[in-house]
Amino acid sequence: MTIESSPPLGITMGDAAGIGPEIIVRCFAQGLPAPAVVYGDAGTMRRAADLLDQTIEIVEIASPLHARHEPCTIEVVACSLALPASLVAGKVNADAGRGAYDYLCAAIDDAMAGRLRAIVTAPLNKHSMHLAGIDQPGHTEILAERSGTADFAMMLANDELRVLLVTIHVALSQVPPLITPETELRAIRLADRACRQMGVKRPRIAVAGLNPHAGEDGKFGREDIDVIAPAVAQAQAEGLEASGPWPGDTIFMRARRGEFDIVVAQYHDQGLIPVKYLGVDHGVNVTVGLPFIRTSVDHGTAFDIAWQGKADHESLMHAFNLALRMV
């Protein structure tokens, strides 16, 4: 099946008050390497095209099955109530939060039905969603719940690092109880799967310790000895090339030098700070374990610069290209 005859990739618009509409328009204006449709609000997309002085026609369609992929055209799948033109840029808004949720759910349903090859998401705003009565911590959890996925993880990747998280959006105080042999082994398996989807034939998986110096032989906590090390040993028994736990303060440097293909980090900031320090414009967020490919930008809604015509679309373009490679 050629790219032209395959289902399109779906791009979700995210929060309308953020930079999502702008960066999507910029990607289409630059030219995408494969057909794509947008799940969002047609009126908002027209205003974004006008803001950027782009002569791109915005066409509303009922389904990706109706897409024609004409040049200089963005086809928007109608999947939520129309947003008001008076929506204030850079401000939390319940309508924008509801829309962002609806766009994502519609894209998930179409991906599950085989009408999309992959999903690429622009950023949403959790506060706006909460104002709309949607009690979800973020994209990853919505994707997993809507698709019925039990084993999933967040991976951040750029040209220098791949990092997969054992725990995601939880308070730091809640992390230690969530570090179990089962969650560790699941994360290691998902890290192996993610690397193989990205073309790595024999992934070298490094597991970061939870405590300073990976516990220093139990002096700084026993989780590394009692929980993480046995999970690594089990992964090795299954034939995976896993190692650790390694001290968190040096493991990312070693991976960046090429010693490992991916790092399994224990909690959100341990894993995401090293990737984002290298530049959010190049980072891509991947949800591993879903029955379809999903990638996303490595940044938020950027309310401080939204609708000013200066948002950079590079991370979204990287996310689109990675999704295309993975499918």
Side-chain angles (χ1 to χ4, degrees), residues 55-166:
T55 55
I56 295 179
E57 184 180 7
I58 310 299
V59 178
E60 191 170 87
I61 58 176
S63 163
L65 298 176
H66 300 150
R68 300 181 63 183
H69 310 300
E70 301 286 350
C72 300
T73 301
I74 299 177
E75 292 169 295
V76 180
V77 179
C79 49
S80 187
L81 295 175
L83 295 175
S86 59
L87 191 129
V88 179
K91 301 293 183 182
V92 294
N93 181 282
D95 289 337
R98 166 55 64 181
Y101 178 76
D102 289 346
Y103 312 147
L104 179 61
C105 289
I108 293 169
D109 293 346
D110 280 343
M112 294 290 289
R115 292 187 285 269
L116 295 175
R117 298 178 71 196
I119 299 175
V120 182
T121 59
L124 51 73
N125 184 276
K126 299 175 182 65
H127 190 183
S128 293
M129 284 202 309
H130 291 167
L131 288 178
I134 300 158
D135 187 21
Q136 288 281 12
H139 270 117
T140 305
E141 293 80 3
I142 298 170
L143 285 151
E145 180 182 280
R146 187 85 176 185
S147 66
T149 302
D151 291 337
F152 62 93
M154 176 191 291
M155 179 180 74
L156 270 289
N158 57 29
D159 292 339
E160 300 182 73
L161 281 177
R162 297 184 188 94
V163 177
L164 185 137
L165 304 180
V166 178

Side-chain angles (χ1 to χ4, degrees), residues 157-159 278-284 298 314-315 318:
N158 57 29
D159 292 339
L278 295 173
V280 295
D281 293 341
H282 297 274
V284 177
D298 185 22
E314 191 171 356
S315 182
H318 281 298

Side-chain angles (χ1 to χ4, degrees), residues 108-281:
I108 293 169
D109 293 346
D110 280 343
M112 294 290 289
R115 292 187 285 269
L116 295 175
R117 298 178 71 196
I119 299 175
V120 182
T121 59
L124 51 73
N125 184 276
K126 299 175 182 65
H127 190 183
S128 293
M129 284 202 309
H130 291 167
L131 288 178
I134 300 158
D135 187 21
Q136 288 281 12
H139 270 117
T140 305
E141 293 80 3
I142 298 170
L143 285 151
E145 180 182 280
R146 187 85 176 185
S147 66
T149 302
D151 291 337
F152 62 93
M154 176 191 291
M155 179 180 74
L156 270 289
N158 57 29
D159 292 339
E160 300 182 73
L161 281 177
R162 297 184 188 94
V163 177
L164 185 137
L165 304 180
V166 178
T167 64
I168 308 176
H169 297 121
V170 296
L172 191 58
S173 61
Q174 297 175 16
V175 169
L178 295 175
I179 302 299
T180 67
E182 293 75 22
T183 59
E184 290 293 322
L185 187 57
R186 180 185 65 185
I188 296 169
R189 289 169 177 160
L190 288 170
D192 181 79
R193 173 178 170 178
C195 285
R196 291 180 187 276
Q197 285 181 314
M198 298 177 75
V200 182
K201 294 182 179 180
R202 179 69 177 167
R204 297 164 299 166
I205 306 160
V207 181
L210 174 66
N211 298 298
H213 302 177
E216 192 77 42
D217 296 323
K219 294 179 182 177
F220 305 140
R222 293 200 55 86
E223 292 90 350
D224 299 282
I225 295 174
D226 297 339
V227 179
I228 300 176
V232 171
Q234 177 59 38
Q236 292 170 344
E238 294 179 5
L240 303 183
E241 195 167 329
S243 63
W246 300 107
D249 57 355
T250 55
I251 191 172
F252 300 100
M253 174 187 65
R254 295 172 64 187
R256 192 181 178 196
R257 289 176 175 174
E259 192 173 340
F260 309 117
D261 296 302
I262 190 167
V263 175
V264 172
Q266 300 303 321
Y267 55 92
H268 187 279
D269 285 9
Q270 182 189 51
L272 268 58
I273 288 175
V275 178
K276 294 193 175 188
Y277 181 76
L278 295 173
V280 295
D281 293 341

